[in-house]
Amino acid sequence: MEDHEIQTLLADLDIRMFNPAGSFEIFDPNHDGRITMPEFVRTLMKLRGDPQKSDIITSSVSLFALHNKVDKFQVTLLDNQSAVRAMSQRIGCGSDLPPRT
């Protein structure tokens, strides 16, 4: 993305790259190490123009939902850990488990 010709082409398409170093990850959404033509075109279309307030709100809502899912997963994991600890203590092998933090 340091190529002046590429920067000019992107500017002509109304695309501003604020983090050129992270561009590959943006264009490779499935992280397979390749950028197909459909991925390339889809990403260019999404990058055109200035960000809108709705784009920021959508990202914020998605991040909040992801945070809630991670919190629920953590609670489930800790509950399962407690259940395993209780079962192992009942059968006499609980001393090998690390203490709950």
Side-chain angles (χ1 to χ4, degrees):
M1 290 296 178
E2 294 179 13
D3 186 315
H4 182 68
E5 187 174 346
I6 298 294
Q7 291 175 355
T8 302
L9 288 170
L10 290 174
D12 288 346
L13 292 170
D14 195 24
I15 298 171
R16 293 178 235 354
M17 297 301 295
F18 296 105
N19 180 15
S23 297
F24 189 83
E25 287 81 16
I26 293 170
F27 283 93
D28 184 26
N30 60 357
H31 305 288
D32 65 355
R34 300 177 326 135
I35 300 172
T36 64
M37 187 56 71
E39 288 173 336
F40 183 73
V41 171
R42 248 183 265 119
T43 302
L44 286 178
M45 295 304 292
K46 289 179 183 179
L47 291 173
R48 291 191 74 208
D50 292 327
Q52 302 296 313
K53 192 180 263 189
S54 62
D55 296 331
I56 296 167
I57 291 170
T58 300
S59 296
S60 178
V61 168
S62 296
L63 186 58
F64 183 74
L66 179 61
H67 187 274
N68 284 338
K69 287 180 181 181
V70 169
D71 284 347
K72 288 178 183 178
F73 177 73
Q74 182 182 20
V75 167
T76 301
L77 188 64
L78 291 173
D79 288 345
N80 289 343
Q81 182 183 24
S82 294
V84 168
R85 180 173 280 109
M87 281 188 247
S88 64
Q89 287 174 346
R90 274 185 282 194
I91 61 172
C93 63
S95 60
D96 296 345
L97 296 173
R100 182 176 180 181
T101 55

